[in-house]
Structure formats: structure tokens, C-alpha cells
């Protein structure tokens, strides 16, 4: 765990303003974007700390949406797909709007009901280079397109047999 900076103290949890929802390190959260029309940002809380004036900050690891990545959104990306990035940041805890769940791809495909706060991640993303890990993904069709969990994939549009 990272060391606490002088004048700072680690906190075990933070209660989201105006709610009774408690956030702890390891939780995924929705963070208010600066542009009102944009969807909330998604991040994983790595650490929570307060300064001597009780200003609470969270160290987060950002998730990127496909359209925020260098390659952009592709046909096989699900509507709720996110990429766990290597981009860390410190934000005011007041920008946390709520909690969410980022599932593994396998667990996401097993959900009976996908809620508004359910997302999935099957790639890690290096923000500086645009590289993905893994750099390949299982394919489910002759056309070699990866599976999009939003589409019932009997056969893709490119494959007619």
C-alpha cells in the first residue's frame, strides 16, 4: 500500500454525500464528469485519505470506455464495456456520485439482469501507448470477430453459412 503523505491520514471508508452508500478501497465508483451531458466516469478506488482540514481525496485507477481509447469503439465492444487503464489520479471524494460493479466478461455474460450500474471489463489498457492486454480475445464466429455480449450471436451479419 502507498505511504500516506505528511499531513494526511488514511481512511477505511467514505460515505457518499447525500447517501448511505459506503465506499472502500477496491470498490468501483461513478464520478461526476465536468461536462454535464457526459456519462459519469468509472474508476476503482485504490486509497482514501483526508488532510488535516478533513478534505477527503480518493486515489483512483480509471476505467476507459471504448470511445475514449485510441482505437475507438469497435463493433464487438459491448455497450457496458470498460477497459481498466494504467491511468491513476487523485480526486475529491465529493465527485463520487455512486457505486457500480465492474464484472469480469465471463461473470457479466452470466448475469440474469444487467442493472444500470453493471459494467464489464475484459482488457487492460495502457493510456500512453494505446496497447491492450491481452492483445487478443476469443472469437466466436468464422469471421474472427470477438463476441459482443449485447448481441445474441447465432451468426454475425458477415457470415451467411
Amino acid at each position: 500500500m502507498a505511504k500516506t503523505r505528511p499531513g494526511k491520514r488514511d481512511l477505511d471508508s467514505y460515505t457518499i454525500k447525500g447517501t448511505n452508500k459506503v465506499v472502500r478501497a477496491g470498490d468501483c465508483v461513478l464520478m461526476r464528469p465536468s461536462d454535464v451531458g457526459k456519462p459519469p466516469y468509472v474508476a476503482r478506488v485504490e486509497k482514501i485519505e483526508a488532510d488535516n482540514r478533513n478534505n477527503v481525496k480518493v486515489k483512483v485507477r480509471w476505467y476507459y470506455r471504448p470511445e475514449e481509447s485510441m482505437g475507438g469503439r469497435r463493433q464487438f465492444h459491448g455497450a457496458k464495456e470498460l477497459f481498466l487503464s494504467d491511468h491513476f489520479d487523485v480526486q475529491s471524494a465529493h465527485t463520487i456520485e455512486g457505486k457500480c460493479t465492474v464484472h469480469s466478461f465471463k461473470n457479466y455474460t452470466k448475469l440474469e439482469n444487467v442493472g444500470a450500474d453493471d459494467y464489464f471489463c475484459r482488457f487492460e489498457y495502457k493510456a500512453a501507448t494505446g496497447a491492450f492486454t491481452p492483445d487478443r480475445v476469443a472469437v466466436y464466429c468464422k469471421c474472427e470477430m470477438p463476441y459482443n455480449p449485447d448481441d445474441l450471436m447465432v451468426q454475425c451479419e458477415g457470415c451467411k453459412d
Side-chain angles (χ1 to χ4, degrees):
M1 180 172 280
K3 291 191 173 169
T4 304
R5 296 187 305 242
K8 308 268 183 196
R9 69 183 189 288
D10 284 350
L11 300 177
D12 291 330
S13 65
Y14 170 78
T15 302
I16 300 171
K17 197 173 183 176
T19 74
N20 60 358
K21 292 183 179 168
V22 176
V23 174
R24 291 182 170 77
D27 288 347
C28 293
V29 294
L30 301 168
M31 301 194 76
R32 187 170 42 257
S34 47
D35 291 351
V36 178
K38 280 188 153 183
Y41 295 116
V42 181
R44 186 171 73 198
V45 175
E46 301 291 317
K47 184 177 183 175
I48 305 167
E49 63 183 25
D51 64 18
N52 49 16
R53 293 196 321 248
N54 232 18
N55 294 317
V56 181
K57 301 275 189 190
V58 287
K59 181 179 182 189
V60 297
R61 185 174 180 186
W62 294 111
Y63 282 95
Y64 280 50
R65 288 184 168 82
E67 55 274 15
E68 297 164 341
S69 71
M70 283 189 192
R73 183 170 285 281
R74 307 263 309 270
Q75 179 183 348
F76 62 86
H77 291 136
K80 308 292 289 279
E81 185 157 7
L82 302 170
F83 310 139
L84 182 62
S85 78
D86 59 350
H87 177 188
F88 291 83
D89 206 355
V90 175
Q91 296 286 314
S92 167
H94 292 299
T95 61
I96 298 174
E97 294 184 327
K99 289 175 76 169
C100 63
T101 305
V102 180
H103 302 273
S104 69
F105 179 71
K106 185 177 180 181
N107 289 346
Y108 181 84
T109 59
K110 293 178 182 175
L111 291 177
E112 295 216 3
N113 295 308
V114 175
D117 297 332
D118 285 314
Y119 297 89
F120 74 92
C121 177
R122 59 180 155 180
F123 296 106
E124 286 196 22
Y125 177 68
K126 291 200 182 322
T129 63
F132 289 93
T133 307
D135 61 356
R136 330 200 137 144
V137 65
V139 294
Y140 294 91
C141 195
K142 289 182 201 171
C143 66
E144 305 274 309
M145 275 307 255
Y147 180 55
N148 179 340
D150 299 333
D151 298 333
L152 177 60
M153 213 157 151
V154 177
Q155 75 178 23
C156 77
E157 291 167 21
C159 294
K160 299 296 179 210
D161 354 304

